[in-house]
């Protein structure tokens, strides 16, 4: 490992998205991330999407570049081995992340008896310990009631899980904050991160709670429009869609130049008494702006739109399906972040490395996800120092397993 | 400052969401984050939502707990002052984050001449430097084409901006990774983080690119259903909505117990030859599961649902509007993460501290966002060591400004 986080070792007991994605983020930056699972697989080992043979493409995506140890989580001996692994000595070791219930043998207090400077990140559902997932957290944030087409009745769920994503990266950040603190003071600590609080804090930061309280309004659904400035999807003549936004006066000029709308825009300003160079002016005249764009010649095909708008420096993008994205040259196939990888049991497909480019180290290409228990023996040997015959007995006793 | 990141100082030149939210995240953990803006305000100083007087609730949310210095960004003297601020000495200083074009006086090379171990995080739109926002990045990820109600034609945009959120927290993490590296090696570095690559890497990690390639399918819209297991919104008899999910066999039992569905569930299993204890079984029989839940007595009001399901340990949540959330006791008013804050110029409303609870330090209550240039004089005095008469002249010459 030669990434920016070389020298760190994190042991992870995780399921679903937030915890494993946080671990994968650290692994792709060069940390040694060891994921443990029950010998029969964890809660999300088979989660969809799966291949025709039932292998989880989901699991593979979230566990890239980690090592895997498979242990019978119910056996006292298995638990003892994992506690020893979590608390093994080493300056950059002694870091544990989990979204499993941190009770009993996994409680911070129990583990800290073996290593006083342990760092443990515990991702929970709500602050009272109630279980939650992105969907149940998202429901209360308010976002589903303003997402989706105008006139739609009822909530619209997010498909890209905003709170899992936020929790994954904020959790990874918290590990580094605690590791810095340990380096400065020698102290370890427990870190608690409730998925629900993460969502509520972000909803607060984005101004939604303040707006509701101070202005005493419930913002209605605005469909695909960007609230408070100008932006919307437009259908092209060949039946596809593009997103066009204006966030600055430069973008107004760019769109006017690309579409030949200079006069029409001036007409809107005059007729409605608005200044299109301001967010408020664009928001007030958004229907008129849309009418000009739709009547104009700009919306031919995404390629035409692209050529004109890109040249003019306008903010736009074509909408793509997942399959279009997967085959897209600029975004994926020719993007140096992606490598076509052979993921054992699943197949060959483009897989992303970290999006972060650190000047001091070269970006490492992505490694595949391990198969369950791929590194069981290696970890028992090198980190716990067990001799071969003892490892063999652990396999015979079904205390450890893998690879499978 | 007594947070976990006490001792760090970050200078930020930012607009929109990702960069300022990343800075706010570090500020709420105790770092001294100094935001600089043009004396006339930045691109997002007035961004919506705004109060009736036009004050930006949005800006206040994203800049909590920071200090603000206002400088004429076009004047050579102003630029010189900011370059000196960014590269000021101090072990935890010399950290710069920006999503402004990092050219000219803000180029890494230029700044590193004044401080060789400078850390600079540069958030850009796409890897080629093209401007992008969450909306244009989201368009190509594929998510808008599978979000929203079944049968809807065209894309559905996200309102909670997943890629801005991911970039904010991943960027904050990157700062800490680079600061660790500097502590170990003495080396600074530039970090490049393209918003578009962040979105593509996450889309890859979540399995969508793999699924499209390996299974050669475009996943259709499934509305509010959770792909590959069971979960959906249900309308209650009083016209509200709840989200109910099943992610484990424990949840199947909980829902059966809460709704009295044990027999009905067994009937589904027998009739359709599925095992509801598996994700695949629940996914195949989801229509039948929904019919049982809707016909049953479970869906009365959110409160009824809540009592039964919560007691049984089921995964569920009521949908709320932003205004309902803002007034919700459990989520906001009685949540120790929130403090009712007086935000100058805007009003009093509940504002979130960090969702992260570090065992070694107490969570700090949130601080308000500064008014533009609130700390101009203080920063010029204490960090740059300028005498009072020189600061007065800078004000007279309109090189610096604030507070306003």
């Amino acid at each position: 490992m030669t990434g920016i986080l070389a020298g760190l070792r994190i042991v992870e007991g995780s399921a679903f998205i937030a915890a494993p994605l946080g671990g994968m983020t650290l692994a792709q930056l060069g940390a040694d991330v060891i994921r443990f699972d029950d010998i029969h697989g964890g809660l999300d080992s088979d989660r969809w999407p799966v291949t025709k043979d039932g292998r989880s493409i989901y699991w593979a995506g979230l566990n890239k570049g980690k090592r895997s140890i498979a242990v019978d989580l119910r056996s006292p001996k298995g638990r003892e081995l994992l506690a020893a692994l979590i608390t093994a000595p080493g300056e950059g070791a002694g870091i544990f992340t989990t979204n499993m219930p941190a009770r009993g043998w996994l409680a911070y207090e129990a583990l800290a008896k073996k290593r006083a400077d342990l760092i443990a990140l515990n991702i929970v559902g709500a602050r009272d310990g109630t279980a939650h997932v992105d969907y149940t957290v998202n429901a209360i944030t308010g976002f589903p009631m303003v997402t989706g087409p105008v006139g739609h009745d009822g909530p619209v769920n997010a498909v890209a899980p905003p709170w899992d994503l936020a929790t994954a990266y904020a959790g990874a950040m918290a590990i580094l904050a605690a590791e810095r603190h340990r380096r400065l003071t020698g102290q370890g600590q427990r870190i608690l991160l409730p998925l629900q609080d993460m969502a509520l804090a972000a909803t607060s930061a984005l101004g939604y709670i303040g707006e509701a309280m101070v202005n005493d309004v419930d913002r209605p659904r605005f469909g695909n429009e960007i609230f408070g400035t100008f932006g919307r999807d437009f259908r092209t003549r060949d039946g596809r869609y593009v997103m066009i936004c204006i966030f600055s006066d430069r973008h107004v000029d760019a769109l006017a130049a690309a579409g030949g709308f200079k006069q029409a825009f001036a007409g809107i300003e005059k007729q409605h008494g608005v200044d299109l160079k301001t967010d408020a002016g664009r928001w007030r005249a958004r229907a008129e702006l849309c009418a000009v764009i739709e009547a104009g010649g700009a919306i031919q095909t995404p390629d035409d739109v692209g050529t004109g708008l890109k040249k003019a420096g306008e903010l736009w993008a074509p909408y793509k399906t997942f399959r279009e994205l997967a085959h897209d040259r600029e975004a994926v196939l020719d993007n140096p972040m992606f490598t076509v990888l052979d993921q054992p049991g699943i197949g060959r497909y483009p897989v992303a490395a970290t999006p972060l480019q650190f000047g001091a180290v070269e970006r490492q290409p992505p490694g595949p996800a391990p198969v369950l228990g791929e590194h069981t023996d290696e970890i028992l040997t090198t980190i716990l120092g067990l001799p071969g015959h003892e490892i063999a007995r652990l396999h015979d006793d079904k205390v450890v397993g893998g690879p499978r």
Side-chain angles (χ1 to χ4, degrees), chain A:
Chain A
M1 292 290 183
T2 53
I4 194 87
L5 296 182
L8 288 188
R9 186 198 301 143
I10 293 119
V11 177
E12 174 190 308
S14 74
F16 304 121
I17 295 177
L21 179 58
M24 196 212 61
T25 300
L26 298 169
Q28 290 203 323
L29 296 180
D32 176 19
V33 179
I34 298 174
R35 180 187 164 115
F36 68 79
D37 278 288
D38 191 74
I39 41 175
H40 306 295
L43 264 180
D44 60 352
S45 306
D46 303 318
R47 215 185 145 197
W48 287 34
V50 293
T51 63
K52 277 150 200 149
D53 304 331
R55 300 293 288 248
S56 175
I57 300 171
Y58 167 94
W59 200 89
L62 292 169
N63 292 296
K64 296 190 294 273
K66 298 181 190 171
R67 298 201 282 171
S68 167
I69 179 170
V71 175
D72 178 358
L73 294 184
R74 296 187 190 188
S75 85
K77 180 66 190 164
R79 293 176 172 188
E80 190 188 299
L81 288 171
L82 287 180
L85 178 63
I86 292 166
T87 60
E91 202 199 10
I95 307 178
F96 175 46
T97 77
T98 192
N99 62 343
M100 298 162 70
R103 304 190 280 261
W105 67 287
L106 283 181
Y108 185 79
E109 297 69 25
L111 293 167
K113 274 187 198 143
K114 295 176 197 287
R115 178 164 177 157
D117 69 350
L118 180 73
I119 294 168
L121 169 66
N122 190 198
I123 296 174
V124 298
R127 67 185 195 280
D128 64 0
T130 314
H132 274 288
V133 292
D134 191 280
Y135 296 92
T136 55
V137 161
N138 196 42
I140 70 162
T141 60
F143 286 106
M145 301 312 277
V146 297
T147 303
V150 175
H152 176 74
D153 196 22
V156 169
N157 287 349
V159 180
W163 318 118
D164 275 338
L165 292 168
T167 301
Y169 304 116
M173 176 198 66
I175 291 286
L176 299 187
E179 202 261 344
R180 175 175 178 275
H181 189 259
R182 184 170 74 179
R183 206 170 276 275
L184 296 174
T185 66
Q187 257 194 303
Q189 64 191 303
R190 181 182 181 220
I191 314 159
L192 192 68
L193 177 51
L195 185 68
Q196 192 184 70
D197 276 357
M198 185 78 231
L200 297 173
T203 304
S204 165
L206 294 170
Y208 289 92
I209 292 174
E211 182 189 19
M213 276 285 188
V214 172
N215 290 351
D216 197 23
V217 291
D218 252 328
R219 193 191 291 190
R221 261 195 175 96
F222 288 114
N224 284 341
E225 290 188 315
I226 304 176
F227 178 68
T229 182
F230 180 80
R232 220 197 65 187
D233 60 307
F234 289 89
R235 186 159 197 164
T236 60
R237 294 206 184 147
D238 61 350
R240 288 181 282 169
Y241 295 89
V242 293
M243 178 77 199
I244 297 180
C245 326
I246 304 180
F247 273 93
S248 72
D249 44 10
R250 211 168 43 76
H251 299 146
V252 182
D253 294 335
L255 184 57
F261 301 145
K262 216 175 150 183
Q263 278 201 315
F265 284 3
I268 292 174
E269 289 187 320
K270 204 168 164 189
Q271 198 185 332
H272 296 275
V274 296
D275 178 358
L276 293 180
K277 298 270 158 103
T278 66
D279 283 335
R282 293 189 285 270
W283 177 244
R284 271 184 57 199
R286 63 192 189 278
E288 291 76 17
L289 277 167
C290 286
V292 165
I293 296 169
E294 282 177 332
I299 311 302
Q300 305 280 345
T301 71
D303 298 331
D304 295 334
V305 180
T307 310
L309 292 183
K310 201 168 181 175
K311 224 166 112 184
E314 172 45 355
L315 262 184
W316 80 285
Y319 285 89
K320 292 184 189 295
T321 68
F322 291 121
R323 194 152 51 168
E324 285 168 351
L325 172 65
H327 292 277
D328 191 82
R329 290 223 152 272
E330 198 183 330
V332 174
L333 302 179
D334 292 342
N335 184 341
M337 182 175 71
F338 281 91
T339 300
V340 175
L341 202 72
D342 187 19
Q343 177 62 51
I346 294 184
R348 285 175 65 79
Y349 55 99
V351 164
T354 176
L356 283 158
Q357 295 171 52
F358 287 89
V361 295
E362 259 199 90
R363 178 157 62 182
Q364 301 295 304
V371 298
L372 193 69
E374 180 172 337
H375 308 94
T376 298
D377 291 9
E378 169 186 312
I379 289 164
L380 294 175
T381 306
T382 60
I383 302 180
L384 296 184
L386 298 191
H389 65 271
E390 219 172 296
I391 296 175
R393 209 179 50 212
L394 288 169
H395 275 284
D396 290 345
D397 294 347
K398 301 207 179 335
V399 171
V400 302
R404 70 144 209 206

